[in-house]
């Protein structure tokens, strides 16, 4: 048994989104989703199995407590039982970005944890099994395991719900310009949010139309048709937020800066700067553009009142084992 291992995993932005769980225990979705790994938002995690009979989890320099600790410990339990390991785990995890503002920290976090903990326990799983296992920690984490542009297939059973790469990172030179408009931790996390999805009168209609959007998005990617891609990405983001806004209780993840950026993207587009927005479960806006437009766009975005930080992301590889340990 290896005992200690480290992994690095990217966050991802969903173009077709996962919102609502068919089986909350398994984090299986109602439909497929598609995402791109982000080059600038990553989690690094080191796991060491020790003789201690308890786990110790440190995230961004602070000992994890409460729900966060339980969620991580439960995931390590899954890996312990797969590997037949009975040791306690020492876990240290570092994000290079603020958590809880709509950049998927649970995605990169559980992807890195899954890879590091399986390796430390002596397991060497296929990418498909790693992805399905990461999904049990956080649904969107299954998409941070494979490289580049990734599809998560619905699957009803545990092993059938996993993600795989549909195009490598260098397949298409597009950018996600991530625009932070708030660093407050959101009050309703996505795990709680998922449970409300079904209370929206629009949820069924959303699920019915999902396959069609998935098909159209895959075609736009295949044809590298940026305009078709962008229109669809905006349509999908607004469709998911329509479900959020009409849930009981309603989920309003937007901040004033969110709307300011969304509106401005439309204004610039009408004037010839072609870009499109998408949003996950938070106020952060992701503006998709062609590589050649990214720097000009980033500069303009930084000037919008309410914008805190802007970063330009390339499509990136998935989770990787790294040699440098955090402790
Ligand atoms: C809006 O994967 O964070 O970002 O499975 O409960 O951990 P859990 O939820 P999570 O949900 C992500 C929701 C989303 C859309 C997406 O990434 O597809």
């Amino acid at each position: 048994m290896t005992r200690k291992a480290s992994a690095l995993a990217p966050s991802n932005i969903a173009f077709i989104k996962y919102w609502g769980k068919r089986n909350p225990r398994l984090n299986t979705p109602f439909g497929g989703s598609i995402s791109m790994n982000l080059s600038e938002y990553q989690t690094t995690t080191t796991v060491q199995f020790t003789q201690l009979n308890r786990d110790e989890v440190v995230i961004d320099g602070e000992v994890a407590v409460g729900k966060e600790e339980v969620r991580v410990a439960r995931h390590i339990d899954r890996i312990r039982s797969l590997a037949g390991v009975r040791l306690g785990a020492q876990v240290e995890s570092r994000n290079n970005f603020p958590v809880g503002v709509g950049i998927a920290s649970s995605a990169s976090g559980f992807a890195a944890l899954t890879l590091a903990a399986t390796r430390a326990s002596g397991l060497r799983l296929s990418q498909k099994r790693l992805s399905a296992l990461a999904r049990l920690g956080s649904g969107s984490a299954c998409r941070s395991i494979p490289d580049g542009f990734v599809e998560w297939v619905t699957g009803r059973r545990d092993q059938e719900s996993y993600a795989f790469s549909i195009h490598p990172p260098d397949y298409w030179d597009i950018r996600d310009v991530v625009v932070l408009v708030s660093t407050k931790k959101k009050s309703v996390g996505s795990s709680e949010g998922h449970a409300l999805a079904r209370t929206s009168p629009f949820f069924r209609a959303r699920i019915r139309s999902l396959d069609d959007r998935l098909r159209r998005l895959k075609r736009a990617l295949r044809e590298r048709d940026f305009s078709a891609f962008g229109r669809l990405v905006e349509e999908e983001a607004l469709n998911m937020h329509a479900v959020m806004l009409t849930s009981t209780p309603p989920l309003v993840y937007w901040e004033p800066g969110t709307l300011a950026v969304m509106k401005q993207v439309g204004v610039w587009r009408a004037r010839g700067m072609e870009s499109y927005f998408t949003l996950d479960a938070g106020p952060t806006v992701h503006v998709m553009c062609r590589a050649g437009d990214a720097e000009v766009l980033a500069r303009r975005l930084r000037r919008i009142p309410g914008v805190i930080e802007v970063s330009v992301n390339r499509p990136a590889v998935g989770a990787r084992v790294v040699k440098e340990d955090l402790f």
Side-chain angles (χ1 to χ4, degrees):
M1 178 178 150
T2 321
R3 291 211 161 187
K4 190 176 192 177
S6 298
L8 184 148
S11 176
N12 68 70
I13 177 65
F15 300 142
I16 300 292
K17 295 168 189 293
Y18 149 59
W19 194 245
K21 301 182 185 188
R22 191 184 291 277
N23 181 336
R25 193 176 53 82
L26 295 177
N27 287 344
T28 47
F30 279 92
S33 55
I34 293 182
S35 62
M36 178 185 108
N37 289 330
L38 302 180
S39 59
E40 308 305 309
Y41 293 93
Q42 302 163 334
T43 304
T44 307
T45 300
T46 299
V47 177
Q48 179 169 29
F49 286 101
T50 67
Q51 296 301 336
L52 287 178
N53 56 3
R54 55 178 189 85
D55 297 334
E56 191 181 84
V57 180
V58 176
I59 301 173
D60 290 329
E62 287 183 31
V63 176
V65 290
K67 276 194 212 159
E68 203 174 28
E69 184 197 9
V70 171
R71 197 170 170 191
V72 172
R74 241 187 236 151
H75 199 57
I76 297 168
D77 282 343
R78 291 181 187 113
I79 292 162
R80 266 192 285 255
S81 74
L82 263 182
V85 168
R86 284 163 182 237
L87 303 170
Q90 203 175 335
V91 179
E92 184 158 349
S93 190
R94 255 181 236 161
N95 295 297
N96 68 348
F97 56 91
V99 299
V101 291
I103 300 157
S105 61
S106 67
S108 54
F110 278 95
L113 177 66
T114 304
L115 184 55
T118 52
R119 288 301 179 99
S121 74
L123 288 171
R124 263 181 182 265
L125 302 182
S126 66
Q127 189 179 78
K128 175 176 167 181
R129 289 200 65 198
L130 269 179
S131 172
L133 184 58
R135 189 205 74 238
L136 294 170
S138 170
S140 56
C142 75
R143 296 189 312 238
S144 284
I145 298 282
D147 289 347
F149 298 84
V150 172
E151 178 174 4
W152 171 7
V153 286
T154 320
R156 294 252 179 162
R157 277 185 296 197
D158 181 23
Q159 296 294 321
E160 289 165 4
S161 187
Y162 64 97
F164 56 88
S165 179
I166 49 176
H167 299 292
D170 61 3
Y171 171 77
W172 201 16
D173 221 3
I174 57 171
R175 297 290 180 266
D176 174 3
V177 184
V178 178
V179 188
L180 242 72
V181 295
S182 164
T183 49
K184 275 190 299 203
K185 201 159 180 158
K186 60 194 180 197
S187 55
V188 182
S190 42
S191 296
E192 294 160 71
H194 280 286
L196 302 178
R198 277 196 238 210
T199 66
S200 163
F202 300 153
F203 184 65
R204 270 169 186 279
R206 165 167 171 75
I207 298 305
R208 265 202 304 272
S209 60
L210 209 51
D211 273 348
D212 179 56
R213 277 197 301 283
L214 270 168
R215 242 190 327 269
R216 281 154 61 209
L217 190 90
K218 280 193 268 191
R219 192 194 317 138
L221 286 177
R222 230 176 12 249
E223 294 172 358
R224 296 188 181 87
D225 181 342
F226 186 71
S227 305
F229 163 81
R231 280 195 300 267
L232 201 50
V233 160
E234 275 193 6
E235 178 187 319
E236 165 65 1
L238 291 171
N239 184 295
M240 178 182 72
H241 278 271
V243 167
M244 292 166 162
L245 290 166
T246 51
S247 294
T248 311
L251 287 173
V252 186
Y253 282 117
W254 302 352
E255 293 291 335
T258 311
L259 205 53
V261 172
M262 288 159 71
K263 289 274 189 187
Q264 199 54 50
V265 163
V267 170
W268 289 334
R269 191 160 66 227
R271 294 190 199 142
M273 161 68 83
E274 197 179 4
S275 65
Y276 300 88
F277 64 79
T278 183
L279 318 120
D280 278 345
T284 299
V285 192
H286 296 250
V287 184
M288 303 304 305
C289 67
R290 295 186 177 92
D293 291 331
E295 287 310 324
V296 173
L297 192 62
R299 226 174 301 135
R300 289 190 188 176
L301 285 162
R302 282 189 191 103
R303 289 202 289 262
I304 297 179
V307 168
I308 296 170
E309 202 181 289
V310 173
S311 96
V312 177
N313 286 258
R314 283 170 284 110
V317 293
R320 290 282 187 275
V321 171
V322 292
K323 289 210 174 70
E324 304 76 38
D325 298 317
L326 293 179
F327 60 87

